[in-house]
Amino acid sequence: MKSESTFEWLGAMLGEAIRTIVAALKTVFGGFGEAVGAFSSGLAEALGMSPTLFNFALLVLGLLLLYAGIRSLMNRSVLGAIFWFLLAVLLLGGLIGEAGTPA
């Protein structure tokens, strides 16, 4: 008959509790990770760009430039709006591919 010490038993119980918690979190966030991956893949495919983190950062920057252009229009600054819209079009136009074949 093998005798276990109190600390060995306590360590085993703590290890099992941690293993259970990690398995539960992996189950919950595993589905979330798959959903985010599918969303980003679908968005990139619809826009005609490759689904990389750098491209998504450029997409967010381009959308922020569009937002700055709209804010300039709201403040009645036409030249500022033209400047921001031009920057946004240059960035987003280079990032987003065309859906059709070139003529």
Side-chain angles (χ1 to χ4, degrees):
M1 186 168 173
K2 183 180 176 187
S3 74
E4 293 183 0
S5 70
T6 304
F7 292 109
E8 184 179 354
W9 174 82
L10 184 61
M13 288 296 115
L14 183 61
E16 286 297 320
I18 291 172
R19 179 184 295 263
T20 304
I21 291 171
V22 169
L25 289 175
K26 186 176 178 183
T27 302
V28 169
F29 290 120
F32 180 71
E34 290 174 12
V36 169
F39 173 78
S40 63
S41 177
L43 179 66
E45 184 180 331
L47 292 175
M49 65 180 203
S50 61
T52 62
L53 187 61
F54 183 72
N55 283 346
F56 282 113
L58 287 177
L59 178 65
V60 169
L61 180 63
L63 293 175
L64 288 173
L65 291 172
L66 282 176
Y67 177 71
I70 292 170
R71 284 189 51 143
S72 292
L73 279 179
M74 300 295 278
N75 291 331
R76 297 183 187 141
S77 175
V78 176
L79 290 177
I82 291 172
F83 173 75
W84 290 118
F85 286 145
L86 180 64
L87 285 178
V89 166
L90 287 174
L91 179 65
L92 293 174
L95 182 65
I96 297 172
E98 292 293 323
T101 59

